[in-house]
Amino acid sequence: IWHPCSQMKDYEELPPIVIDRAKGSYVYDVGGKAYIDIISSWWCNLLGHCHPAITAALQAQLEKLEHVIFANFSHVPAIELAEALAGLVPAGLAKFHFSDNGSASVECALKMSFQYQLQSGHAEKNKFMCLSEGYHGETIGALSVGSMDVFTKMYRPMLIDGVLRIQAPDCYRCAFGKTRETCGCECAVHARGMFEKHAHETCAFILEPLVQGSAGMRIYPPLYLKQIRGLCDRYGVILIADEIATGFGRTGKLFACEHAGISPDIMCLSKGITGGYLPFSLTVTTEEIYRAFYADYSEGRAFMHSHTYSGNPLGCSAALAVLDTLRRERILEGAREKAVYLSEALSRAFGDHPHVGEIRHLGLINAIELVRDKKTKEGFAGGLRMGYQIYKKALEKGLLLRPLGDVLYFNPPLTIETETLDEAVRLCREAVADVLS
């Protein structure tokens, strides 16, 4: 097996851990050892492993319909899911296009926005804007609007030309010397300059709202997102919100855009939408964008984009169970209380650590940035692979961390118990101490 996002030579030293079963916030290997899944298995496990409500919904659906072509056919779970989400997504979003993973959702959004501009008489608007340090997936279009060299550098000859990159906010190393408390989003001045120069040729701006996940859980203020929305409105640029990682309560609200009080023109959803059970995604857009594609077939305006598993009934059923559980068990309210608890626990454990530069958080997402020098904010030399060393030590102790470079992060299921959070913080502290001492 060629494992994802890995240098397979590392596996000679650290062989794959074979997982046999899982429950709640824990996974168990074939030897019975337990690991706290503090990263929600790449951020998708929303309500804990083997959640009874989702499992029951899937079992019931399996007895009726596992899959059917979604072109010219539909089914009750898809209809009910679209109806349920229509009352939850930001205002103005009204049309739901189904895909099967996050990258596919982004590809759909890019093609949809490009074709919309073309069919609205703006053929010159054929470029994309994105933020530096952004990440939107691994397919070619998604990689093209990403900005992290570790994922994109090798493939630049294959990528879309002319993507315009705007310097993203970095509140820990703010170029204007501000803190999050004093931030007035002066960093938006670069965005304004780019819009003034390039908006006439820009189709869409794609970003991760408030949290740049793969960049190390970099968190920026809602005001910045609000300013970008204003620029897109002023210059006729479509705003694509990649809520694949931030959606469904991860940031303390159902969608991160709610923190800024804005609605995007297109929103990408995946990961937590099925509770981590199945690959599934949605690209949600406005009536206005949808109408640019609506015409007689002979006009050639249809959106000729499809996936075999679009609208899969099992994925729809899992998503419906997730939404029902979020509402019925008041999951977001409980998660907000746990977010405060976890933030305070990490501050007590790491706040005075000489190699912890910053602890940042939004909702239950918490990130600990390790640095060589706390005063200068200088990081460790990359060759030390400090985060990887801590990852290995944490695994020995029964904690699944998987850092982003030298950023350790907690992004647990929303249903995690406080006792498990205490244990995870303790094990993380021990792993850091073992390596950095």
Side-chain angles (χ1 to χ4, degrees):
I1 299 174
W2 193 342
H3 289 266
C5 206
S6 301
Q7 172 48 259
M8 291 304 296
K9 195 171 190 300
D10 286 341
Y11 285 44
E12 296 173 12
E13 174 199 9
L14 181 64
I17 297 166
V18 182
I19 297 301
D20 176 64
R21 59 190 177 89
K23 188 65 178 174
S25 300
Y26 289 84
V27 295
Y28 301 84
D29 68 19
V30 290
K33 181 176 178 179
Y35 302 83
I36 301 174
D37 187 1
I38 206 66
I39 63 164
S40 297
S41 287
W42 259 339
W43 322 347
C44 69
N45 189 273
L46 194 72
L47 303 175
H49 292 278
C50 296
H51 191 282
I54 307 175
T55 300
L58 285 172
Q59 288 173 337
Q61 185 60 44
L62 275 168
E63 296 294 330
K64 297 174 67 176
L65 174 66
E66 85 297 345
H67 185 59
V68 65
I69 182 174
F70 209 51
N72 237 126
F73 286 82
S74 192
H75 49 78
V76 171
I79 295 166
E80 290 183 346
L81 178 60
E83 289 176 341
L85 284 170
L88 298 173
V89 295
L93 296 176
K95 297 296 180 180
F96 299 83
H97 196 284
F98 292 71
S99 300
D100 55 10
N101 66 76
S103 296
S105 174
V106 169
E107 295 284 339
C108 178
L110 298 177
K111 291 172 65 177
M112 189 181 286
S113 57
F114 174 88
Q115 189 172 342
Y116 166 80
Q117 296 284 19
L118 181 67
Q119 293 177 177
S120 299
H122 303 295
E124 73 283 359
K125 285 180 169 285
N126 54 21
K127 293 184 178 181
F128 294 95
M129 280 188 189
C130 63
L131 291 179
S132 65
E133 306 304 314
Y135 175 84
H136 301 286
E138 303 287 359
T139 48
I140 295 301
L143 273 181
S144 297
V145 293
S147 301
M148 299 189 67
D149 281 351
V150 67
F151 299 112
T152 62
K153 187 176 181 180
M154 182 75 69
Y155 306 106
R156 279 179 186 160
M158 300 172 60
L159 303 184
I160 298 171
D161 288 332
V163 174
L164 306 163
R165 288 174 172 80
I166 290 174
Q167 183 60 48
D170 183 354
C171 294
Y172 176 46
R173 295 177 175 85
C174 179
F176 298 93
K178 299 293 183 69
T179 65
R180 284 190 182 85
E181 292 71 26
T182 62
C183 179
C185 283
E186 287 84 349
C187 45
V189 68
H190 184 232
R192 285 194 290 272
M194 289 290 283
F195 270 84
E196 289 168 2
K197 187 175 181 181
H198 296 289
H200 70 281
E201 58 181 345
T202 300
C203 160
F205 188 123
I206 185 170
L207 49 67
E208 301 158 272
L210 302 195
V211 184
Q212 290 191 290
S214 292
M217 299 298 175
R218 280 175 33 170
I219 298 168
Y220 60 87
L223 179 57
Y224 183 83
L225 179 57
K226 202 164 189 171
Q227 289 172 324
I228 295 298
R229 172 73 274 182
L231 288 168
C232 288
D233 288 340
R234 179 179 176 184
Y235 290 99
V237 173
I238 290 172
L239 177 61
I240 303 171
D242 178 352
E243 291 252 17
I244 290 165
T246 55
F248 300 98
R250 289 291 184 192
T251 66
K253 294 184 181 291
L254 194 60
F255 302 109
C257 286
E258 294 177 33
H259 289 277
I262 66 105
S263 293
D265 302 299
I266 300 177
M267 187 166 69
C268 300
L269 301 173
S270 190
K271 288 191 183 292
I273 191 171
T274 65
Y277 269 66
L278 290 164
F280 189 87
S281 67
L282 287 166
T283 306
V284 194
T285 191
T286 63
E287 182 73 25
E288 178 186 349
I289 289 177
Y290 170 79
R291 282 287 158 187
F293 296 79
Y294 194 85
D296 289 334
Y297 181 82
S298 59
E299 294 184 33
R301 299 172 73 88
F303 190 45
M304 302 301 290
H305 179 94
S306 64
H307 291 274
T308 302
Y309 289 99
S310 293
N312 177 256
L314 297 174
C316 293
S317 297
L320 282 166
V322 166
L323 294 180
D324 180 65
T325 303
L326 288 173
R327 175 190 56 79
R328 181 169 36 82
E329 299 184 10
R330 301 177 64 85
I331 297 295
L332 263 63
E333 289 87 339
R336 284 192 279 266
E337 293 176 4
K338 291 171 190 171
V340 174
Y341 184 91
L342 176 57
S343 176
E344 291 175 350
L346 288 171
S347 293
R348 288 192 299 270
F350 292 100
D352 60 352
H353 196 287
H355 292 296
V356 170
E358 183 184 43
I359 306 171
R360 47 187 176 265
H361 61 92
L362 183 63
L364 270 170
I365 300 172
N366 283 256
I368 305 163
E369 181 153 346
L370 303 175
V371 293
R372 189 191 71 81
D373 189 310
K374 193 166 186 171
K375 186 175 181 180
T376 65
K377 304 180 181 179
E378 178 190 355
F380 288 101
L384 294 175
R385 301 184 73 185
M386 200 62 73
Y388 180 65
Q389 307 308 323
I390 293 170
Y391 164 68
K392 291 190 293 182
K393 186 63 66 175
L395 283 176
E396 292 177 12
K397 298 174 183 294
L399 177 64
L400 171 53
L401 275 176
R402 194 170 176 87
L404 297 158
D406 287 344
V407 176
L408 314 176
Y409 71 91
F410 283 33
N411 194 2
L414 303 186
T415 53
I416 193 169
E417 297 178 343
T418 54
E419 295 83 2
T420 308
L421 289 174
D422 288 336
E423 180 69 0
V425 172
R426 182 182 68 81
L427 295 176
C428 183
R429 172 80 183 189
E430 289 180 3
V432 170
D434 287 352
V435 173
L436 292 183
S437 63

